Amino acid sequence: MKEAFLNRMKLLLQEEYEEYVKTLDMPMYRGVRVNTLKCAVEDFTKEFPHSLSVSPFCKESFYISPQIASLGNHPFHSCGLFYMQEPSASSAVEILDVQEGEWVLDLCAAPGGKSTQIAAKLKHTGFLLSNEIDVGRASVLLSNMERLGVGENMITCAKPEELCKALQGHFDKVLVDAPCSGEGMFKKHDSAMEGWSEEHVNACRYRQLHILESAYKALKQDGILVYSTCTYAVEENEQVVYEFLKTHPDMELVDSRASFGRGGFAYEDLPVSYVRRIFPMDRGEGHFIAKMRRISANEQTKLVYEKEKKLPNCVISFFQEQLSVLPMHWMMDEQRVYVRQAPFLRLKNIRILRQGIACGEVRGQRLEPHHHFYLSAFLRPYLKSTTELTKEEAILFYSGNVLPKEHRKGYTALTYHGYVLGLGKGDGVCIKNKLPKGLRCSVDGNLF
Ligand code: SAM
């Protein structure tokens, strides 16, 4: 560890420093958060093959043993029943306190831990906009949102200032899980430690204040802004909140009322008992969370919606064949078809990676369905054709093989324990495997 960093931690933690140093030799806390869009917590705890212990941060989040091998290829992971998340990382969304029907903006969203958690709180209502500035990271965000079956959302890849200008004054809640010096991640990524310096901490502070400026713009009157980082530096936490509030007297700090973690470090006249800090001594790798409210009114930009064009007959037939109800709203982008419960928003000059559920692509006189359609948590109860697989068949499915299982001609959702793994196409003799190539993997049967 860098000496300069440890010296700062000594000054910060004082008599707790030795306890903190001991945690550096311990394994990282590991956890899973149940995706309640797809699975009730009680069902998950019964089905999951490893022991789980409840975290203090959120009731859907559990510690798992550091000894467990990677769960990335576990079928319940691939079909979106859970998200691998260090338990204390679930704390910010708990403090955001999302309610059904709200408009929520997650401004720094990749890889999607907090966005998928927000989506579960919204339960397919309201609107979730998940933005990520980095295009590579935005595609990881997209695949995680797809895997967890989120559909009532939009994923953008934009600069916060441009996005928040386009949607000024529309959000009930905004989360800024800011890029930071990542001091709570040093055990996980050596690279975070290598890049650390006091100059970097200060550069992060300027960037954080810049992002908060955009978030402020996006808020409605009475809207809530949660600012979080996974770093310990006061400069990026209490100081950022203090400086932001100083320049925005129409924002107030709100008591987070959290039952976990501890208050902040004294900084000027900031009421630091209102903010939350989590250290490894509090059973999480490290988080800072502050909750603020916008008191002043805010002008709203006018929302523009996409015009719904008539769908080609092959798409209507596909919906009739696959779903027991017809989608409420749809959009065609060239040959690709998307559906949502709410009308589709049009945003000028903003790169939209996804809005709604990707249903498939029209090719000639037929619709080639998309994996997202079958993984969507909202559509799951309306899927007409499902085919339950045995464990051996599920392993075959993940490896990309044809399933030697008789099925009438047509598409079917393939399930394991009732959870959709993906889609297959019956040809009257067997079921052809339609799992996207990038998702094929070898699954260890002992895992489930
Ligand atoms: N909220 C995410 C989650 O829970 O999975 C983690 C977000 S991570 C701490 C911060 C993100 O901010 C990174 O994905 C990074 O690419 C993005 N970022 C970097 N610079 C940014 C900027 N100037 N404005 C907005 N986001 C930025």
Side-chain angles (χ1 to χ4, degrees):
M1 283 267 163
K2 283 194 178 166
E3 211 181 316
F5 166 69
L6 291 175
N7 287 339
R8 280 166 58 96
M9 291 304 284
K10 202 173 203 167
L11 274 177
L12 193 66
L13 293 171
Q14 301 187 4
E15 64 271 20
E16 256 192 307
Y17 175 70
E18 292 307 326
E19 210 186 322
Y20 165 73
V21 168
K22 277 188 211 149
T23 67
L24 294 175
D25 291 325
M26 295 176 186
M28 294 267 304
Y29 290 106
R30 281 180 81 203
V32 295
R33 186 175 40 73
V34 182
N35 177 19
T36 52
L37 287 181
K38 291 201 174 188
C39 178
V41 171
E42 310 77 73
D43 294 338
F44 182 79
T45 52
K46 272 186 231 143
E47 305 251 24
F48 193 65
H50 304 284
S51 74
L52 296 166
S53 91
V54 183
S55 91
F57 307 105
C58 133
K59 62 183 191 320
E60 294 83 21
S61 172
F62 295 86
Y63 293 100
I64 57 167
S65 157
Q67 269 84 51
I68 296 176
S70 164
L71 290 169
N73 284 356
H74 193 289
F76 290 161
H77 181 264
S78 309
C79 71
L81 300 198
F82 66 91
Y83 189 94
M84 298 285 297
Q85 187 181 44
E86 189 272 295
S88 76
S90 64
S91 54
V93 173
E94 287 304 297
I95 290 176
L96 190 64
D97 191 24
V98 172
Q99 302 296 317
E100 286 177 40
E102 287 181 335
W103 274 47
V104 186
L105 169 61
D106 184 0
L107 207 43
C108 312
K114 297 181 182 70
S115 265
T116 51
Q117 192 180 355
I118 294 169
K121 305 256 180 215
L122 286 173
K123 298 191 183 125
H124 313 300
T125 68
F127 179 53
L128 168 60
L129 173 44
S130 308
N131 179 63
E132 169 56 44
I133 197 168
D134 179 284
V135 67
R137 289 178 62 85
S139 75
V140 178
L141 167 69
L142 175 63
S143 76
N144 278 327
M145 297 291 263
E146 255 182 23
R147 182 173 62 81
L148 271 76
V150 181
E152 280 310 302
N153 68 321
M154 180 189 265
I155 300 173
T156 54
C157 179
K159 287 186 179 161
E161 54 271 35
E162 287 167 9
L163 184 66
C164 296
K165 188 174 166 210
L167 284 169
Q168 179 174 331
H170 283 286
F171 290 92
D172 300 289
K173 304 268 161 80
V174 178
L175 175 65
V176 173
D177 187 32
C180 65
S181 58
E183 293 168 348
M185 292 289 118
F186 286 178
K187 272 199 271 175
K188 189 173 177 189
H189 304 294
D190 287 344
S191 56
M193 175 89 247
E194 279 158 25
W196 184 91
S197 66
E198 294 206 0
E199 294 70 39
H200 184 229
V201 166
N202 271 306
C204 287
R205 179 167 68 86
Y206 284 113
R207 183 165 57 173
Q208 289 149 354
L209 283 165
H210 185 70
I211 299 172
L212 282 176
E213 201 59 54
S214 302
Y216 167 77
K217 206 168 221 164
L219 284 170
K220 276 181 183 165
Q221 182 167 19
D222 285 329
I224 293 289
L225 167 60
V226 163
Y227 170 73
S228 64
T229 72
C230 60
T231 205
Y232 307 126
V234 169
E235 294 90 326
E236 296 179 62
N237 296 320
E238 288 85 352
Q239 188 178 345
V240 163
V241 173
Y242 174 81
E243 289 178 0
F244 175 70
L245 291 173
K246 265 267 167 282
T247 49
H248 298 82
D250 57 339
M251 292 289 299
E252 62 179 8
L253 190 64
V254 178
D255 190 347
S256 68
R257 295 188 187 280
S259 55
F260 47 75
R262 53 180 80 191
F265 291 100
Y267 193 84
E268 301 287 344
D269 59 353
L270 192 72
V272 287
S273 63
Y274 282 16
V275 305
R276 274 301 92 177
R277 270 190 175 262
I278 299 161
F279 279 98
M281 299 79 86
D282 308 313
R283 304 182 62 214
E285 289 303 327
H287 242 75
F288 170 87
I289 307 126
K291 183 173 188 173
M292 294 167 265
R293 177 184 292 115
R294 179 176 176 135
I295 304 161
S296 62
N298 195 3
E299 257 179 53
Q300 290 191 328
T301 49
K302 191 174 173 326
L303 297 179
V304 181
Y305 292 95
E306 296 285 350
K307 285 201 180 77
E308 275 166 24
K309 295 183 193 131
K310 193 176 170 313
L311 284 171
N313 287 340
C314 65
V315 179
I316 297 171
S317 310
F318 172 79
F319 287 152
Q320 284 169 340
E321 184 194 292
Q322 295 293 311
L323 297 173
S324 56
V325 291
L326 289 186
M328 310 250 299
H329 296 277
W330 58 85
M331 187 185 74
M332 279 197 71
D333 176 12
E334 296 180 353
Q335 299 309 98
R336 291 182 291 273
V337 183
Y338 301 89
V339 293
R340 283 195 75 197
Q341 292 190 81
F344 282 78
L345 264 180
R346 177 183 291 177
L347 289 182
K348 238 177 147 186
N349 303 326
I350 297 289
R351 184 166 179 189
I352 300 175
L353 300 186
R354 174 67 50 84
Q355 186 172 193
I357 301 160
C359 301
E361 200 170 325
V362 176
R363 293 198 188 143
Q365 295 304 308
R366 64 186 185 88
L367 182 89
E368 183 69 35
H370 194 287
H371 189 61
H372 190 196
F373 181 83
Y374 290 89
L375 254 66
S376 150
F378 176 72
L379 295 180
R380 171 68 184 95
Y382 309 114
L383 289 177
K384 277 190 188 166
S385 168
T386 59
T387 305
E388 178 71 9
L389 303 184
T390 62
K391 180 170 151 175
E392 290 66 33
E393 287 166 343
I395 295 170
L396 266 184
F397 175 67
Y398 278 113
S399 65
N401 280 295
V402 169
L403 301 175
K405 199 175 173 80
E406 204 175 318
H407 193 279
R408 62 170 179 78
K409 283 187 179 172
Y411 292 107
T412 183
L414 302 170
T415 62
Y416 181 67
H417 288 211
Y419 303 115
V420 179
L421 306 181
L423 78 144
K425 189 176 185 187
D427 64 2
V429 181
C430 58
I431 301 178
K432 286 190 186 144
N433 197 323
K434 293 284 175 183
L435 186 67
K437 289 209 167 56
L439 298 178
R440 295 179 184 182
C441 58
S442 99
V443 172
D444 176 357
N446 297 320
L447 275 177
F448 60 111

